[in-house]
Amino acid sequence: MKINFLRLVVLVSVLTAANASAQDATQKPKRDPEKMFASIDTDADGKISKDEAAKAERPMLSKRFDEIDTNKDTYLDKDELKAFREKQRANRKQKQE
């Protein structure tokens, strides 16, 4: 009886771990905004120039540079990018409703 109970506990543990692992694999990995910013800000001056944006992996940054650059100083800073991401999220959420 004790052996069967122990087997059941082990089986439940294994199935729970497998399920959690499967869920992790299906979820998109979250991107770290700080790391992304640092990878684009190649001269490490704390802002992204049009040239740096043009060289970024994602063409959206370059295409929408002027829209994101709300203070029109020809650079993107972390606050402008954060505000743009929040605006994009709000727009997506509104479309879903």
Side-chain angles (χ1 to χ4, degrees):
M1 186 72 163
K2 288 182 181 181
I3 293 175
N4 286 337
F5 179 74
L6 183 59
R7 287 182 182 165
L8 178 62
V9 169
V10 170
L11 178 62
V12 169
S13 298
V14 168
L15 291 176
T16 302
N19 186 35
S21 177
Q23 286 178 349
D24 290 344
T26 59
Q27 293 176 352
K28 289 183 180 179
K30 294 193 179 202
R31 290 176 261 174
D32 181 356
E34 291 289 327
K35 286 181 182 178
M36 288 178 62
F37 189 92
S39 71
I40 298 168
D41 181 19
T42 55
D43 63 4
D45 64 352
K47 53 192 177 184
I48 297 172
S49 67
K50 283 189 175 192
D51 185 50
E52 289 170 324
K55 294 176 185 175
E57 288 180 26
R58 296 170 177 256
M60 180 278 304
L61 192 61
S62 184
K63 288 178 185 176
R64 301 185 78 176
F65 191 95
D66 292 329
E67 177 185 353
I68 301 168
D69 182 20
T70 55
N71 66 2
K72 305 302 179 200
D73 67 350
T74 68
Y75 292 98
L76 303 180
D77 60 37
K78 291 177 184 180
D79 291 335
E80 289 171 319
L81 288 170
K82 182 180 178 183
F84 180 74
R85 280 192 311 270
E86 289 172 357
K87 180 180 170 185
Q88 293 296 96
R89 281 188 201 122
N91 288 343
R92 280 192 298 270
K93 186 176 180 180
Q94 188 177 27
K95 286 180 184 179
Q96 290 176 352
E97 292 176 348

